[in-house]
Each structure stands twice: as C-alpha cells, then as structure tokens.
Amino acid sequence: MASNPMDQFTIVPIVPLEVAGFDISFTNSALWMTITVVVSSLFLLLSIRSRGTIPTRGQMVAEMMYNTVANMVRDNVGSGGQPYFPFIFTLFMFVLFGNLLGMVPGSFTFTSHIAVTFAMAAIIFIAVTVIGIAKHGTRFATLFFPHGAPLWTAVILIPIELVSYLSRPVSLSVRIFANLTVGHVILKVIAGFVVALGVFGIVPLAGLVAITAFEFMIAVIQAYVFAILSCIYLHDALHLH
Amino acid sequence: MPSDPESDLADLEKRLKAARGTGEAGRSGSGSGREGAASGAGIGLRIAVDLVAGVAVGVGLGLWLDSALDTKPWLLLVFTIVGFCAGLLNVVRTANQLEAKRKEDEAAARTNAE
C-alpha cells in the first residue's frame, strides 16, 4: 500500500453541518478532540476514585501529572499563579492526550494542525494580555520598555519588543505543530520503505521501532513545553518581568 | 491543652518549611532527568522557531501596514529588520532561560549529591 504520507492529516467531515454560511461540520478532527476530552477525563476520574494512601499505578500517574503541573505553575508563574492552575492543567492534559492518542495507529492527530494549535495559542495570548492590562492598567506598557534603558532608545526598542511580544503565539503554535507533523510524516515515510524493500524492509522496521519511541517522547515534551511557555507568558503579565 | 497556640503555630511553620524544602529538592532532582531527556534537536528547533516567528510577524505586520497606509514598500523594509531584531531577542531570551534552568539543575544535582 503506497499511500501519501500527508493523507493522515486530511480533514474528513463526519456529520456535514452548515450554519449561516459557516462550515461547522463535525470532522474527524473534532471527533478526536472529543475522544481526547473523554479519555483524559475518564482517566483522571477513574484513577483517583479509590483515593488510596498507597496509590495504585493509575493513581500514581495521575498524581505525577498533577504534581508536574503544580510545580510548573509554582516555579514559573510565581506568586498569584494558583488561580490559573486549573486552566494550565486542562491545557496540559488536552495537548498531552491529543499527542498521545495521535500515536494510536489509524487515529487522527489534531495537534498536527496549525489551525488547532494557533487557536489555542491565540486564546492564551489574548487571555494573558487581558489579564496583564486588567492587573496593571497602563503600567502594562512598561513590558515593552526595559527598565533603565536610555529614553531615546525607545524609538528602536518599543517596536522590537512589540513584534517580539506579537511573535509569541506564532512561535508557540508553530513549535508544536511542526514537531507533531514532522514526526508523523517521518513515521509514514519510513513505514513506506518497509513495504518497498521487501525482505530488507527489516532494517527500516527496526528504525521505525526507535522512531516510534522517540515520537512518544516528543509527544510528552511538546505538551510540557506548551504548558510551561503558557506559564512563562502568564508570569510576564502578572509580574511585568 | 498540651501547649500554648503561639508555639504550636511556630512549630507548624517549622514543619511546613521542612516539608517545602524536601519537596523543592525532590522536584529539582526529577527536573534534571526530564531536561536530560530533551534532545539537543528539540532545543535547536525551539530556537529556530523563535527566530523565524519574529521575522514572520515583522514581515506580516509590514505588509499589512503598507497596504493599510499605502506606503509600499517602506514599512515592509523597516518591519522586516525590526522583526529580525525581535527574533534575535526571542532567541537570546530562550537561551538565557535554558541556561538558567541548566545552572539551577546543576546546582540542585550538586546539593543532592552532597
């Protein structure tokens, strides 16, 4: 089966739906997002149901995830970060399970679509900006001018800082989208070699095992990086550097 | 009443501090392991994306302002340079963050080893 390595990213409408000229069909992407929400919620609910002093394996994993995000929020957001813990945790779990479920053969990886990752990054960016302005008012503008720099440098520094600030959602979304897309394309291309090479296909097959393990690592690291950068942006908005 | 509430509170404070201290050490320890797993390629890609994002936003902003203010091609030129500077600023910030993290992990590993 010589399939196109890009075929796995095709959006297929499952329930076609159009409201006021907008195509809001229920697609395979939406289906896998729903599955991700259901699976991650069920996992957390069921694993901590026993609430044992001696945790089961599932409970240990759930507590590990909770601790990872709790430490992340405490280390990177600093004081006043606790109210945002639920949001960061939800974000982390959604991206993590989306990435991991994307590794299931035949599934769809919604995090490999820039539309999805950019939407998440844009929400974070807008929310962080609104939080910053609500908390500091006009003092929020000092974020764009380093403390102690000579005043005349403002002409150069403010546009640079502004563009740097605006590039945050772009780099945040492109990073996860590029990592996930590249990983899945490589998997498909190497898998194509296995079939094409016949008996010698054993060589790329062995490589494929290693790459699969590597992709699982990427899936976890990218979810972690996405959440930690959201924390850093939140820190900037709350404390202005 | 075993003791007065004042010293009870002080005792609680002490125990809280001790508990927090151990939590901190354990956390840094696990953190260094996770960082070690993050490959150099990951860091490289992260920095590359930071640089490109700055240029991309600069070019986009320049094109948009040019078409809005009808000043072709001057703002595109200016904002491409500004975007490149912003990209470099992003890179320096990311590198500083990673370096600070690495130093922190190293210090934690040293205190753990002692």
Side-chain angles (χ1 to χ4, degrees):
Chain A
M1 189 182 74
S3 70
N4 186 335
M6 299 309 278
D7 275 353
Q8 58 183 324
F9 303 120
T10 323
I11 302 265
V12 186
I14 296 170
V15 185
L17 206 63
E18 204 178 290
V19 173
F22 290 104
D23 184 10
I24 54 161
S25 308
F26 189 80
T27 61
N28 52 352
S29 180
L31 174 69
W32 279 95
M33 282 187 218
T34 315
I35 291 174
T36 299
V37 170
V38 170
V39 168
S40 54
S41 306
L42 277 181
F43 168 71
L44 286 176
L45 286 175
L46 294 180
S47 62
I48 60 159
R49 202 174 46 170
S50 58
R51 290 173 210 277
T53 316
I54 301 164
T56 58
R57 266 171 293 188
Q59 192 184 342
M60 276 185 78
V61 174
E63 285 177 0
M64 204 175 77
M65 286 166 171
Y66 181 94
N67 276 332
T68 305
V69 180
N71 288 337
M72 189 196 290
V73 170
R74 196 170 45 203
D75 288 352
N76 295 294
V77 186
S79 62
Q82 283 312 309
Y84 306 103
F85 170 77
F87 175 71
I88 303 284
F89 188 64
T90 310
L91 194 71
F92 176 71
M93 293 304 281
F94 185 66
V95 176
L96 179 68
F97 273 76
N99 289 350
L100 289 179
L101 287 172
M103 291 301 294
V104 175
S107 73
F108 180 86
T109 325
F110 61 82
T111 40
S112 65
H113 275 268
I114 188 91
V116 176
T117 59
F118 190 76
M120 287 194 286
I123 291 169
I124 293 163
F125 176 75
I126 293 168
V128 160
T129 310
V130 168
I131 288 168
I133 291 173
K135 207 167 160 64
H136 297 286
T138 49
R139 284 214 310 125
F140 183 70
T142 58
L143 195 63
F144 302 115
F145 191 66
H147 185 70
L151 204 61
W152 63 268
T153 54
V155 189
I156 310 162
L157 285 178
I158 288 177
I160 291 176
E161 288 280 356
L162 204 62
V163 172
S164 168
Y165 189 74
L166 287 174
S167 74
R168 279 172 169 188
V170 177
S171 63
L172 188 61
S173 56
V174 167
R175 189 175 298 118
I176 186 166
F177 145 78
N179 269 295
L180 271 290
T181 305
V182 166
H184 284 260
V185 169
I186 287 177
L187 279 180
K188 271 282 157 72
V189 170
I190 308 258
F193 290 162
V194 175
V195 182
L197 289 178
V199 182
F200 299 105
I202 192 86
V203 179
L205 187 64
L208 210 54
V209 174
I211 295 171
T212 306
F214 183 70
E215 286 311 318
F216 272 105
M217 199 181 84
I218 293 279
V220 176
I221 288 177
Q222 285 308 315
Y224 183 74
V225 167
F226 196 83
I228 206 167
L229 284 173
S230 309
C231 286
I232 290 171
Y233 297 162
L234 199 55
H235 171 268
D236 280 355
L238 289 176
H239 303 289
L240 302 178
H241 287 301
Chain B
M1 276 294 186
S3 62
D4 64 303
E6 199 82 354
S7 74
D8 256 7
L9 269 178
D11 187 45
L12 182 69
E13 191 82 357
K14 219 180 286 165
R15 275 186 293 154
L16 267 175
K17 247 186 205 141
R20 280 207 191 107
T22 55
E24 210 111 321
R27 185 171 71 231
S28 316
S30 68
S32 69
R34 206 163 32 224
E35 256 342 90
S39 58
I43 293 172
L45 189 71
R46 188 171 157 189
I47 287 180
V49 168
D50 272 339
L51 180 61
V52 172
V55 179
V57 168
V59 169
L61 209 60
L63 282 174
W64 175 64
L65 283 176
D66 261 347
S67 66
L69 303 175
D70 206 21
T71 49
K72 267 174 206 159
W74 302 109
L75 287 179
L76 175 61
L77 291 174
V78 170
F79 273 95
T80 305
I81 295 166
V82 168
F84 186 70
C85 295
L88 280 179
L89 188 69
N90 287 345
V91 169
V92 169
R93 287 219 175 111
T94 307
N96 279 342
Q97 255 164 34
L98 291 171
E99 185 64 15
K101 188 109 196 271
R102 197 183 61 83
K103 280 216 181 101
E104 204 174 88
D105 286 344
E106 243 168 36
R110 222 174 294 130
T111 49
N112 277 3
E114 271 163 16

mmCIF file of all heavy atoms in Angstrom, chain A residues 165-205:
data_model
loop_
_atom_site.group_PDB
_atom_site.id
_atom_site.type_symbol
_atom_site.label_atom_id
_atom_site.label_comp_id
_atom_site.label_asym_id
_atom_site.label_seq_id
_atom_site.Cartn_x
_atom_site.Cartn_y
_atom_site.Cartn_z
ATOM 1 N N TYR A 165 6.726 40.446 21.270
ATOM 2 C CA TYR A 165 5.533 40.040 22.029
ATOM 3 C C TYR A 165 4.497 39.411 21.099
ATOM 4 O O TYR A 165 3.902 38.391 21.428
ATOM 5 C CB TYR A 165 4.949 41.262 22.736
ATOM 6 C CG TYR A 165 3.843 40.943 23.709
ATOM 7 C CD1 TYR A 165 4.129 40.354 24.934
ATOM 8 C CD2 TYR A 165 2.529 41.249 23.407
ATOM 9 C CE1 TYR A 165 3.126 40.061 25.824
ATOM 10 C CE2 TYR A 165 1.514 40.965 24.301
ATOM 11 C CZ TYR A 165 1.814 40.378 25.510
ATOM 12 O OH TYR A 165 0.822 40.087 26.391
ATOM 13 N N LEU A 166 4.324 40.023 19.924
ATOM 14 C CA LEU A 166 3.328 39.516 18.968
ATOM 15 C C LEU A 166 3.753 38.173 18.374
ATOM 16 O O LEU A 166 2.911 37.411 17.888
ATOM 17 C CB LEU A 166 3.105 40.526 17.841
ATOM 18 C CG LEU A 166 2.328 41.778 18.207
ATOM 19 C CD1 LEU A 166 2.302 42.743 17.037
ATOM 20 C CD2 LEU A 166 0.908 41.443 18.629
ATOM 21 N N SER A 167 5.076 37.901 18.379
ATOM 22 C CA SER A 167 5.532 36.648 17.783
ATOM 23 C C SER A 167 5.335 35.462 18.728
ATOM 24 O O SER A 167 5.519 34.314 18.327
ATOM 25 C CB SER A 167 7.004 36.759 17.397
ATOM 26 O OG SER A 167 7.813 36.712 18.539
ATOM 27 N N ARG A 168 4.954 35.739 19.967
ATOM 28 C CA ARG A 168 4.769 34.649 20.938
ATOM 29 C C ARG A 168 3.745 33.604 20.502
ATOM 30 O O ARG A 168 4.059 32.415 20.498
ATOM 31 C CB ARG A 168 4.358 35.219 22.296
ATOM 32 C CG ARG A 168 5.521 35.737 23.078
ATOM 33 C CD ARG A 168 4.999 36.450 24.278
ATOM 34 N NE ARG A 168 6.067 36.761 25.207
ATOM 35 C CZ ARG A 168 5.842 37.247 26.415
ATOM 36 N NH1 ARG A 168 4.617 37.478 26.809
ATOM 37 N NH2 ARG A 168 6.836 37.514 27.205
ATOM 38 N N PRO A 169 2.514 34.017 20.139
ATOM 39 C CA PRO A 169 1.559 32.977 19.737
ATOM 40 C C PRO A 169 2.011 32.239 18.495
ATOM 41 O O PRO A 169 1.718 31.048 18.338
ATOM 42 C CB PRO A 169 0.260 33.752 19.490
ATOM 43 C CG PRO A 169 0.655 35.157 19.314
ATOM 44 C CD PRO A 169 1.894 35.352 20.128
ATOM 45 N N VAL A 170 2.745 32.929 17.600
ATOM 46 C CA VAL A 170 3.227 32.266 16.378
ATOM 47 C C VAL A 170 4.220 31.170 16.735
ATOM 48 O O VAL A 170 4.079 30.019 16.318
ATOM 49 C CB VAL A 170 3.862 33.293 15.411
ATOM 50 C CG1 VAL A 170 4.414 32.595 14.187
ATOM 51 C CG2 VAL A 170 2.853 34.342 15.009
ATOM 52 N N SER A 171 5.233 31.528 17.554
ATOM 53 C CA SER A 171 6.241 30.516 17.878
ATOM 54 C C SER A 171 5.634 29.402 18.727
ATOM 55 O O SER A 171 5.963 28.232 18.558
ATOM 56 C CB SER A 171 7.445 31.143 18.564
ATOM 57 O OG SER A 171 7.090 31.717 19.785
ATOM 58 N N LEU A 172 4.708 29.768 19.621
ATOM 59 C CA LEU A 172 4.062 28.763 20.475
ATOM 60 C C LEU A 172 3.307 27.726 19.645
ATOM 61 O O LEU A 172 3.403 26.520 19.885
ATOM 62 C CB LEU A 172 3.106 29.464 21.450
ATOM 63 C CG LEU A 172 2.480 28.630 22.552
ATOM 64 C CD1 LEU A 172 3.530 28.042 23.458
ATOM 65 C CD2 LEU A 172 1.509 29.475 23.368
ATOM 66 N N SER A 173 2.566 28.201 18.633
ATOM 67 C CA SER A 173 1.746 27.279 17.844
ATOM 68 C C SER A 173 2.575 26.542 16.799
ATOM 69 O O SER A 173 2.372 25.353 16.569
ATOM 70 C CB SER A 173 0.595 28.029 17.176
ATOM 71 O OG SER A 173 1.097 29.079 16.389
ATOM 72 N N VAL A 174 3.539 27.256 16.169
ATOM 73 C CA VAL A 174 4.332 26.606 15.118
ATOM 74 C C VAL A 174 5.192 25.496 15.711
ATOM 75 O O VAL A 174 5.372 24.448 15.102
ATOM 76 C CB VAL A 174 5.200 27.648 14.368
ATOM 77 C CG1 VAL A 174 6.243 26.963 13.506
ATOM 78 C CG2 VAL A 174 4.326 28.535 13.520
ATOM 79 N N ARG A 175 5.713 25.720 16.933
ATOM 80 C CA ARG A 175 6.598 24.736 17.545
ATOM 81 C C ARG A 175 5.915 23.367 17.662
ATOM 82 O O ARG A 175 6.437 22.353 17.205
ATOM 83 C CB ARG A 175 7.027 25.228 18.919
ATOM 84 C CG ARG A 175 8.103 24.383 19.548
ATOM 85 C CD ARG A 175 8.563 24.978 20.847
ATOM 86 N NE ARG A 175 9.138 26.286 20.669
ATOM 87 C CZ ARG A 175 8.659 27.385 21.206
ATOM 88 N NH1 ARG A 175 7.593 27.351 21.943
ATOM 89 N NH2 ARG A 175 9.262 28.534 21.000
ATOM 90 N N ILE A 176 4.734 23.347 18.277
ATOM 91 C CA ILE A 176 4.061 22.067 18.495
ATOM 92 C C ILE A 176 3.552 21.481 17.177
ATOM 93 O O ILE A 176 3.688 20.294 16.910
ATOM 94 C CB ILE A 176 2.939 22.218 19.550
ATOM 95 C CG1 ILE A 176 2.335 20.854 19.871
ATOM 96 C CG2 ILE A 176 1.880 23.191 19.136
ATOM 97 C CD1 ILE A 176 1.492 20.876 21.100
ATOM 98 N N PHE A 177 3.039 22.350 16.305
ATOM 99 C CA PHE A 177 2.524 21.883 15.003
ATOM 100 C C PHE A 177 3.652 21.262 14.183
ATOM 101 O O PHE A 177 3.501 20.170 13.633
ATOM 102 C CB PHE A 177 1.883 23.074 14.279
ATOM 103 C CG PHE A 177 2.033 23.085 12.793
ATOM 104 C CD1 PHE A 177 1.226 22.281 11.996
ATOM 105 C CD2 PHE A 177 2.969 23.919 12.183
ATOM 106 C CE1 PHE A 177 1.366 22.300 10.624
ATOM 107 C CE2 PHE A 177 3.104 23.937 10.818
ATOM 108 C CZ PHE A 177 2.308 23.122 10.029
ATOM 109 N N ALA A 178 4.819 21.933 14.114
ATOM 110 C CA ALA A 178 5.938 21.430 13.310
ATOM 111 C C ALA A 178 6.442 20.104 13.860
ATOM 112 O O ALA A 178 6.634 19.140 13.110
ATOM 113 C CB ALA A 178 7.063 22.457 13.292
ATOM 114 N N ASN A 179 6.633 20.032 15.183
ATOM 115 C CA ASN A 179 7.124 18.803 15.793
ATOM 116 C C ASN A 179 6.225 17.610 15.499
ATOM 117 O O ASN A 179 6.696 16.546 15.121
ATOM 118 C CB ASN A 179 7.242 18.979 17.307
ATOM 119 C CG ASN A 179 8.615 19.465 17.702
ATOM 120 O OD1 ASN A 179 9.594 18.778 17.524
ATOM 121 N ND2 ASN A 179 8.685 20.680 18.228
ATOM 122 N N LEU A 180 4.929 17.818 15.698
ATOM 123 C CA LEU A 180 3.995 16.710 15.529
ATOM 124 C C LEU A 180 3.860 16.313 14.067
ATOM 125 O O LEU A 180 3.865 15.124 13.730
ATOM 126 C CB LEU A 180 2.620 17.095 16.106
ATOM 127 C CG LEU A 180 2.364 16.791 17.580
ATOM 128 C CD1 LEU A 180 2.240 15.293 17.765
ATOM 129 C CD2 LEU A 180 3.415 17.333 18.506
ATOM 130 N N THR A 181 3.771 17.306 13.163
ATOM 131 C CA THR A 181 3.621 17.000 11.744
ATOM 132 C C THR A 181 4.839 16.250 11.224
ATOM 133 O O THR A 181 4.716 15.199 10.591
ATOM 134 C CB THR A 181 3.427 18.296 10.935
ATOM 135 O OG1 THR A 181 2.329 19.007 11.487
ATOM 136 C CG2 THR A 181 3.152 18.003 9.486
ATOM 137 N N VAL A 182 6.029 16.790 11.513
ATOM 138 C CA VAL A 182 7.269 16.171 11.040
ATOM 139 C C VAL A 182 7.368 14.735 11.556
ATOM 140 O O VAL A 182 7.667 13.811 10.797
ATOM 141 C CB VAL A 182 8.485 17.005 11.493
ATOM 142 C CG1 VAL A 182 9.769 16.228 11.319
ATOM 143 C CG2 VAL A 182 8.553 18.298 10.715
ATOM 144 N N GLY A 183 7.086 14.538 12.824
ATOM 145 C CA GLY A 183 7.175 13.200 13.404
ATOM 146 C C GLY A 183 6.277 12.207 12.685
ATOM 147 O O GLY A 183 6.710 11.109 12.324
ATOM 148 N N HIS A 184 5.040 12.610 12.441
ATOM 149 C CA HIS A 184 4.096 11.683 11.808
ATOM 150 C C HIS A 184 4.438 11.438 10.354
ATOM 151 O O HIS A 184 4.250 10.330 9.850
ATOM 152 C CB HIS A 184 2.673 12.208 11.974
ATOM 153 C CG HIS A 184 2.129 11.999 13.347
ATOM 154 N ND1 HIS A 184 1.283 10.969 13.656
ATOM 155 C CD2 HIS A 184 2.362 12.656 14.500
ATOM 156 C CE1 HIS A 184 1.012 11.006 14.952
ATOM 157 N NE2 HIS A 184 1.659 12.022 15.486
ATOM 158 N N VAL A 185 4.960 12.457 9.657
ATOM 159 C CA VAL A 185 5.367 12.256 8.261
ATOM 160 C C VAL A 185 6.542 11.279 8.200
ATOM 161 O O VAL A 185 6.547 10.356 7.383
ATOM 162 C CB VAL A 185 5.727 13.607 7.600
ATOM 163 C CG1 VAL A 185 6.395 13.381 6.252
ATOM 164 C CG2 VAL A 185 4.487 14.457 7.413
ATOM 165 N N ILE A 186 7.522 11.466 9.089
ATOM 166 C CA ILE A 186 8.687 10.566 9.104
ATOM 167 C C ILE A 186 8.242 9.124 9.341
ATOM 168 O O ILE A 186 8.665 8.204 8.649
ATOM 169 C CB ILE A 186 9.701 11.006 10.187
ATOM 170 C CG1 ILE A 186 10.411 12.277 9.725
ATOM 171 C CG2 ILE A 186 10.732 9.912 10.451
ATOM 172 C CD1 ILE A 186 11.383 12.844 10.729
ATOM 173 N N LEU A 187 7.337 8.946 10.295
ATOM 174 C CA LEU A 187 6.839 7.593 10.576
ATOM 175 C C LEU A 187 6.243 6.968 9.316
ATOM 176 O O LEU A 187 6.515 5.815 8.991
ATOM 177 C CB LEU A 187 5.779 7.640 11.684
ATOM 178 C CG LEU A 187 6.275 7.704 13.123
ATOM 179 C CD1 LEU A 187 5.095 7.747 14.065
ATOM 180 C CD2 LEU A 187 7.142 6.499 13.437
ATOM 181 N N LYS A 188 5.413 7.745 8.600
ATOM 182 C CA LYS A 188 4.746 7.217 7.397
ATOM 183 C C LYS A 188 5.739 6.927 6.290
ATOM 184 O O LYS A 188 5.648 5.900 5.608
ATOM 185 C CB LYS A 188 3.689 8.224 6.896
ATOM 186 C CG LYS A 188 2.312 8.031 7.499
ATOM 187 C CD LYS A 188 1.574 6.869 6.862
ATOM 188 C CE LYS A 188 0.494 6.310 7.756
ATOM 189 N NZ LYS A 188 -0.664 7.182 7.887
ATOM 190 N N VAL A 189 6.723 7.826 6.101
ATOM 191 C CA VAL A 189 7.702 7.650 5.020
ATOM 192 C C VAL A 189 8.542 6.399 5.268
ATOM 193 O O VAL A 189 8.715 5.560 4.381
ATOM 194 C CB VAL A 189 8.596 8.907 4.890
ATOM 195 C CG1 VAL A 189 9.760 8.641 3.960
ATOM 196 C CG2 VAL A 189 7.784 10.082 4.373
ATOM 197 N N ILE A 190 9.026 6.249 6.508
ATOM 198 C CA ILE A 190 9.857 5.077 6.825
ATOM 199 C C ILE A 190 9.021 3.804 6.712
ATOM 200 O O ILE A 190 9.494 2.768 6.243
ATOM 201 C CB ILE A 190 10.463 5.212 8.232
ATOM 202 C CG1 ILE A 190 11.176 6.557 8.376
ATOM 203 C CG2 ILE A 190 11.390 4.037 8.540
ATOM 204 C CD1 ILE A 190 12.657 6.546 8.284
ATOM 205 N N ALA A 191 7.750 3.894 7.124
ATOM 206 C CA ALA A 191 6.867 2.737 7.019
ATOM 207 C C ALA A 191 6.695 2.352 5.554
ATOM 208 O O ALA A 191 6.581 1.159 5.219
ATOM 209 C CB ALA A 191 5.516 3.042 7.663
ATOM 210 N N GLY A 192 6.705 3.340 4.665
ATOM 211 C CA GLY A 192 6.618 3.060 3.225
ATOM 212 C C GLY A 192 7.818 2.265 2.748
ATOM 213 O O GLY A 192 7.686 1.352 1.939
ATOM 214 N N PHE A 193 9.010 2.600 3.293
ATOM 215 C CA PHE A 193 10.234 1.869 2.924
ATOM 216 C C PHE A 193 10.130 0.403 3.313
ATOM 217 O O PHE A 193 10.629 -0.465 2.604
ATOM 218 C CB PHE A 193 11.467 2.466 3.633
ATOM 219 C CG PHE A 193 11.854 3.819 3.119
ATOM 220 C CD1 PHE A 193 12.679 4.652 3.866
ATOM 221 C CD2 PHE A 193 11.401 4.268 1.887
ATOM 222 C CE1 PHE A 193 13.041 5.897 3.398
ATOM 223 C CE2 PHE A 193 11.758 5.521 1.404
ATOM 224 C CZ PHE A 193 12.581 6.335 2.166
ATOM 225 N N VAL A 194 9.516 0.133 4.460
ATOM 226 C CA VAL A 194 9.422 -1.256 4.934
ATOM 227 C C VAL A 194 8.752 -2.119 3.875
ATOM 228 O O VAL A 194 9.222 -3.208 3.546
ATOM 229 C CB VAL A 194 8.629 -1.316 6.261
ATOM 230 C CG1 VAL A 194 8.432 -2.749 6.693
ATOM 231 C CG2 VAL A 194 9.339 -0.529 7.335
ATOM 232 N N VAL A 195 7.668 -1.613 3.298
ATOM 233 C CA VAL A 195 6.928 -2.375 2.286
ATOM 234 C C VAL A 195 7.735 -2.449 0.991
ATOM 235 O O VAL A 195 7.879 -3.512 0.390
ATOM 236 C CB VAL A 195 5.550 -1.713 2.026
ATOM 237 C CG1 VAL A 195 4.766 -2.538 1.017
ATOM 238 C CG2 VAL A 195 4.784 -1.567 3.317
ATOM 239 N N ALA A 196 8.337 -1.322 0.587
ATOM 240 C CA ALA A 196 9.011 -1.246 -0.704
ATOM 241 C C ALA A 196 10.255 -2.127 -0.763
ATOM 242 O O ALA A 196 10.596 -2.644 -1.823
ATOM 243 C CB ALA A 196 9.381 0.202 -1.012
ATOM 244 N N LEU A 197 10.941 -2.300 0.360
ATOM 245 C CA LEU A 197 12.213 -3.025 0.345
ATOM 246 C C LEU A 197 12.074 -4.544 0.496
ATOM 247 O O LEU A 197 13.060 -5.264 0.460
ATOM 248 C CB LEU A 197 13.136 -2.487 1.450
ATOM 249 C CG LEU A 197 13.707 -1.080 1.206
ATOM 250 C CD1 LEU A 197 14.548 -0.640 2.386
ATOM 251 C CD2 LEU A 197 14.548 -1.046 -0.051
ATOM 252 N N GLY A 198 10.867 -5.023 0.689
ATOM 253 C CA GLY A 198 10.658 -6.469 0.782
ATOM 254 C C GLY A 198 11.358 -7.054 1.987
ATOM 255 O O GLY A 198 11.131 -6.601 3.123
ATOM 256 N N VAL A 199 12.231 -8.052 1.751
ATOM 257 C CA VAL A 199 12.916 -8.740 2.855
ATOM 258 C C VAL A 199 13.804 -7.764 3.627
ATOM 259 O O VAL A 199 13.870 -7.806 4.858
ATOM 260 C CB VAL A 199 13.778 -9.908 2.323
ATOM 261 C CG1 VAL A 199 14.441 -10.641 3.488
ATOM 262 C CG2 VAL A 199 12.934 -10.860 1.493
ATOM 263 N N PHE A 200 14.464 -6.859 2.894
ATOM 264 C CA PHE A 200 15.368 -5.917 3.556
ATOM 265 C C PHE A 200 14.601 -4.839 4.327
ATOM 266 O O PHE A 200 15.208 -4.005 4.979
ATOM 267 C CB PHE A 200 16.299 -5.274 2.529
ATOM 268 C CG PHE A 200 17.157 -6.279 1.821
ATOM 269 C CD1 PHE A 200 16.891 -6.659 0.515
ATOM 270 C CD2 PHE A 200 18.215 -6.885 2.500
ATOM 271 C CE1 PHE A 200 17.662 -7.610 -0.125
ATOM 272 C CE2 PHE A 200 18.994 -7.840 1.858
ATOM 273 C CZ PHE A 200 18.721 -8.211 0.539
ATOM 274 N N GLY A 201 13.308 -4.903 4.245
ATOM 275 C CA GLY A 201 12.463 -3.972 4.988
ATOM 276 C C GLY A 201 12.663 -4.085 6.493
ATOM 277 O O GLY A 201 12.237 -3.212 7.243
ATOM 278 N N ILE A 202 13.329 -5.149 6.904
ATOM 279 C CA ILE A 202 13.592 -5.342 8.333
ATOM 280 C C ILE A 202 14.432 -4.204 8.891
ATOM 281 O O ILE A 202 14.292 -3.827 10.051
ATOM 282 C CB ILE A 202 14.290 -6.718 8.568
ATOM 283 C CG1 ILE A 202 14.304 -7.083 10.055
ATOM 284 C CG2 ILE A 202 15.699 -6.755 8.014
ATOM 285 C CD1 ILE A 202 13.056 -7.775 10.487
ATOM 286 N N VAL A 203 15.299 -3.603 8.043
ATOM 287 C CA VAL A 203 16.170 -2.514 8.506
ATOM 288 C C VAL A 203 15.356 -1.268 8.871
ATOM 289 O O VAL A 203 15.438 -0.786 10.003
ATOM 290 C CB VAL A 203 17.262 -2.199 7.454
ATOM 291 C CG1 VAL A 203 18.136 -1.057 7.933
ATOM 292 C CG2 VAL A 203 18.097 -3.430 7.177
ATOM 293 N N PRO A 204 14.532 -0.732 7.933
ATOM 294 C CA PRO A 204 13.705 0.406 8.335
ATOM 295 C C PRO A 204 12.701 0.050 9.424
ATOM 296 O O PRO A 204 12.338 0.911 10.242
ATOM 297 C CB PRO A 204 12.999 0.833 7.048
ATOM 298 C CG PRO A 204 13.192 -0.262 6.091
ATOM 299 C CD PRO A 204 14.415 -1.009 6.495
ATOM 300 N N LEU A 205 12.287 -1.226 9.476
ATOM 301 C CA LEU A 205 11.333 -1.631 10.516
ATOM 302 C C LEU A 205 11.962 -1.467 11.895
ATOM 303 O O LEU A 205 11.334 -0.972 12.829
ATOM 304 C CB LEU A 205 10.907 -3.086 10.293
ATOM 305 C CG LEU A 205 9.789 -3.603 11.214
ATOM 306 C CD1 LEU A 205 8.505 -2.820 10.961
ATOM 307 C CD2 LEU A 205 9.548 -5.081 11.001
#
